Each structure stands twice: as C-alpha cells, then as structure tokens.
Amino acid sequence: MLKIKHFALPAVLALSLTGCWLDDDDDPAPTPEPPAVEDATVQVVHAVIDAPDVNILANGDAVITDLAFAQASDVLDLPPATYSIAAEALLPGDDTATVIGPIDLSLEEAKRYTVFAVGKVMDDSLEALVVPGTTADVSSGKIRLQVVHAAAGAPEVDVHVTAPDAELGSPLATLMFKDFTDYVEVDPAQYQVRITLPGTNTVVFDSGTLDLTTAGTDLVVAAIDSQYSGESPVSLLAVAQDGTEMAILDANATSSVRVVHNVSDAPAVDVIVNDAITLVDALAFPDFTPYVAVAPDTYNVKVAADADNSVVVIDEDLMLDAGAYYSVLAVGALGENSIEPLVLSDMPRRIATEAQVRIVHGSTLAGNVDIYVTATEDISAATPAFADVPFKAETGYVSLAAGDYVVTVTPAGSKTAAIGPVALMLEANSIYTAIARDGVGLTADVGLILMDDFVQP
C-alpha cells in the first residue's frame, strides 16, 4: 500500500494543478477526516466472596452501582485514555468505604478489559485483576474462550477442557490464583471443563457437558469461590462480551436441607423421603437439624409422628435445586389440623463487613406483627423495622453493623411486646436467623427459635 500511495501521489498533484489552471479555483483541498478511534470495553466482575455489594468509580464518578458477588456489570464503552478506578463497599447504614484503588487503568483502542475484584476482605487482600482481551469479531465459525483463576480460596490447579467424558489428557493451562490464559478460538461444540490438583487426576470441579455450539460466542470463564452446596471449592462464572453472564455449578453440586419443628402442640416427628428414607428421626419442638446434603431432585416428603409413622401431618412434593440451601419448617397447630411446610431459601455466605439478620414469623398465635430493631428496649418513639408482618412471612437477610441491638415483636400497630425485648450482640461475618414460635402446647408464652450464629460460633 505504501508503494501504491507513493506512485499515485504525482498523478493526484497533476490532476489538482490541472484543475487549478482550468477552473482558476484557489480554494484549498479539503482536510481529510482523521481515522475513527475505536472504543475500548470494560466489564467488572465481583469475585470477592466475603465482600458486600460494591460501586465502581471512574475518575470519581460511580459508573457501576450495587454490583453483587458473582455478578458481572454491563459492558462500558470508553474512549482510549487513562482512568482512575476505585471500588467502594456498601456498608450498613448507607456508609461506603473505598476497598480497591484508586488505580490507574490505561485503556487501549479496540481492547476488551475484564476487571475482577479479587481477594478476601478478612485477610485484607482485595485488589483489581485486569484481564485484557480484544473487541475484534470472533473468526467466522469459531468461538472464543479465555480462562481466569479468580478464586482466592483455591490453590494452583490444572484446567482441562475436553469433549464430554473424554480422557483428561494434558491440561489446557496450569493456573495459580490471579493467573489467566490468552484468548483462544476453537470450534463450536460440546465441551467439559474439569479442574484438578496439579499433575493429578483428582477432580475438584466438573462442569459436566457445556453446550458451546453457537458460533461467535465470546466468553471469559472465571473460577471463583463457590457459594453453592456441594464439595467443590469453586464454581465457574462465564462472562460474555454482550454483558450476559452464566453461573456454572459443579456437576456434583448437592442440595442442602435442614428441618425445623415449629409446631408447639405436636409430638416428636420423623421426616420420611420417598417412603423409603428416614431423613430425620425423632425431631421434637422447637429443635432443628443441621444441613443434610441430598442430590438435587423432586422428593415426596412426609412428616409423621415418631411414635407411629402412620400418623402423617405433612405429605408434600419438594423440588430441591442444585447448589441451593433450604430451611423446611413445619408450622401450624396440630389441634387446628393446620400443620403445613414452610420452605425458605437460605444463603449461608458470610460478609466480612456486616451481620446478616433474618426474622421469620412462625407463630400461629401472634397475628400480624411489627418487628423493632433498636439500640435500647424503649420502642415508644421507634418506627418498626418491619411493619404488619403476617404469619409465614420473613424479613430476608438484613445487613446490620456489628454491635448491640434489641429486638422486640409486637402485635401490628401496638407498642406492647409479644416477644422480647431480646438483647442481641451481633458480630460481623455472621448470619443470624430467629423464628417467632408459639409457646409450648399453645399455652406458654410465644418466643424465638434461634439458629445459625446465634447458636454456632
């Protein structure tokens, strides 16, 4: 092209001069348009398992807000330049704290940047991991992949990408925490990703069969610390250039279930699964079990009297998803023939900067209630943290700063305590669950079933 331009230049000049003589036009030649500058793209991934939601700041302005663990942001198109980037943690009480940066991030034209927040809050190791790529189109008929080790809790690993059920063979890469591969283009197909300890066939993560048959697919696939039920320490998060994301769980991920006896006038019970397995034996009010890991599936669950399994008070089908945690409460009253299951979705991921508190209304006697969370026992001028809460409702996980609190439960619209005041000392990096219950035999005072870090440090 340089030679063509060199030899063509005199001809262009001659034509230009000829035009001047013929037209007597002294107007200068138009200035050519400068070449278009192609933006870079930036996508941020929250990979810090013990951190709260974060905002991402660019040059002091929030460009990404409320980014949660295991989520990727939208893709930002930014002109090539150097930007000051920082991450601020969202703390209880609408406070924030800068936890990463500010750092200077220099963006080059037509490059893709996937920026991972990695490390652990508890050991003060938070940092930004910048993984460069390209914004160029994927080659026709191909898919593009890049693999990142973003799991602070996992050791060095071998990454194997094979056809489904193929021999492991040589690894695609051996990666330590914060390592990543170059991007590679491969044929669309079904693949299986297995992660092993280096130089061994000990599989610590197995994706099962992944359908990557759509040409043009462009993924950054990161191993992150797992928040799911099962033995694998990691899960995968696949992040696409179009801003979509997909969680990939270990193929052997389980469901975790615990059972709570919250029927105050019922005797001890057994929990029987598919008419064959006694999952829980002789559970008495107001006790609960630890989590039990089971294979994800739909199960028939019967709750029967321990003394006579022919007396069945609950007979329900329960669908348990892979990786999920559940609390299954027996609620209601035997004398009212109103016993039923209340299934709650749990999330036992602890956050280093806060206490997470969940309150469940499980009392048949209390009616709708107001729940106060205050600094002292005096609620006379306080507004309920949760108002008019009906039977079987829950607050969800509420973030509170570590410290001393008082919880008081009253009938809705009243300041007269039905439960409490209960003094609580809450620690950060902890989860607390309290279930409002009836009194024993429906005659004693209503109270609370305390679970999680209320009873286990």
Side-chain angles (χ1 to χ4, degrees), residues 148-159:
V148 183
H149 187 333
E156 181 180 44
V157 295
D158 287 343
V159 180

Side-chain angles (χ1 to χ4, degrees), residues 241-313:
Q241 178 75 323
D242 63 4
T244 58
E245 62 190 37
M246 177 176 62
I248 303 171
L249 278 62
D250 181 66
N252 299 306
T254 59
S255 300
S256 284
V257 183
R258 62 183 177 182
V259 179
V260 184
H261 188 325
N262 191 33
V263 181
S264 72
D265 64 340
V269 297
D270 298 339
V271 179
I272 302 166
V273 175
N274 291 344
D275 294 319
I277 302 169
T278 300
L279 185 68
V280 179
D281 181 57
L283 183 66
F285 173 81
D287 294 339
F288 55 91
T289 71
Y291 284 109
V292 177
V294 298
D297 206 341
T298 297
Y299 296 92
N300 176 258
V301 177
K302 291 183 173 68
V303 176
D306 175 60
D308 181 359
N309 281 176
S310 68
V311 180
V312 176
V313 293

Side-chain angles (χ1 to χ4, degrees), residues 72 212 218-222 236-240 244-248:
L212 300 176
D218 186 5
L219 298 176
V220 174
V221 181
L236 299 184
L237 184 66
V239 179
T244 58
E245 62 190 37
M246 177 176 62
I248 303 171

Side-chain angles (χ1 to χ4, degrees), residues 46-51 69 100 116-129 150-153 177-178 225:
H46 187 333
V48 181
I49 193 168
D50 66 343
F69 172 69
I100 297 177
F116 291 84
V118 298
K120 291 283 187 69
V121 176
M122 288 296 288
D123 60 15
D124 197 26
S125 62
L126 301 188
E127 61 181 299
L129 172 63
F177 173 51
K178 297 188 289 186
D225 292 311

Side-chain angles (χ1 to χ4, degrees), residues 70-356:
Q71 287 187 347
S73 72
D74 292 337
V75 177
L76 304 178
D77 295 309
L78 297 173
T82 297
Y83 297 84
S84 177
I85 303 296
E88 62 178 16
L90 304 183
L91 305 177
D94 297 325
D95 290 333
T96 61
T98 300
V99 291
I100 297 177
I103 62 171
D104 288 337
L105 179 60
S106 296
L107 305 184
E108 298 180 17
E109 182 178 0
K111 271 200 171 182
R112 171 186 184 176
Y113 296 88
T114 309
V115 182
F116 291 84
V118 298
K120 291 283 187 69
V121 176
M122 288 296 288
D123 60 15
D124 197 26
S125 62
L126 301 188
E127 61 181 299
L129 172 63
V130 181
V131 178
T134 179
T135 61
D137 291 337
V138 180
S139 298
S140 178
K142 296 290 186 179
I143 65 173
R144 185 158 60 210
L145 299 173
Q146 192 169 14
V147 181
V148 183
H149 187 333
E156 181 180 44
V157 295
D158 287 343
V159 180
H160 301 262
V161 180
T162 68
D165 299 323
E167 295 292 328
L168 285 173
S170 299
L172 171 71
T174 298
L175 302 177
M176 297 182 65
F177 173 51
K178 297 188 289 186
D179 287 346
F180 52 88
T181 68
D182 292 331
Y183 51 86
V184 296
E185 292 187 340
V186 296
D187 293 328
Q190 290 186 329
Y191 290 93
Q192 183 176 11
V193 177
R194 283 167 286 184
I195 298 174
T196 68
L197 299 179
T200 76
N201 289 333
T202 303
V203 177
V204 296
F205 175 87
D206 181 353
S207 71
T209 299
L210 298 178
D211 189 354
L212 300 176
T213 55
T214 302
T217 296
D218 186 5
L219 298 176
V220 174
V221 181
I224 63 174
D225 292 311
S226 177
Q227 61 181 327
Y228 300 109
S229 172
E231 295 186 0
S232 179
V234 300
S235 62
L236 299 184
L237 184 66
V239 179
Q241 178 75 323
D242 63 4
T244 58
E245 62 190 37
M246 177 176 62
I248 303 171
L249 278 62
D250 181 66
N252 299 306
T254 59
S255 300
S256 284
V257 183
R258 62 183 177 182
V259 179
V260 184
H261 188 325
N262 191 33
V263 181
S264 72
D265 64 340
V269 297
D270 298 339
V271 179
I272 302 166
V273 175
N274 291 344
D275 294 319
I277 302 169
T278 300
L279 185 68
V280 179
D281 181 57
L283 183 66
F285 173 81
D287 294 339
F288 55 91
T289 71
Y291 284 109
V292 177
V294 298
D297 206 341
T298 297
Y299 296 92
N300 176 258
V301 177
K302 291 183 173 68
V303 176
D306 175 60
D308 181 359
N309 281 176
S310 68
V311 180
V312 176
V313 293
I314 294 176
D315 184 351
E316 296 282 347
D317 290 336
L318 183 62
M319 184 175 68
L320 304 178
D321 293 331
Y325 290 82
Y326 302 92
S327 291
V328 181
L329 285 61
V331 298
L334 180 62
E336 299 293 330
N337 195 30
S338 62
I339 299 177
E340 60 181 313
L342 174 60
V343 181
L344 306 178
S345 293
D346 301 343
M347 176 43 69
R349 178 177 75 90
R350 286 168 170 75
I351 298 174
T353 55
E354 63 195 46
Q356 297 177 81

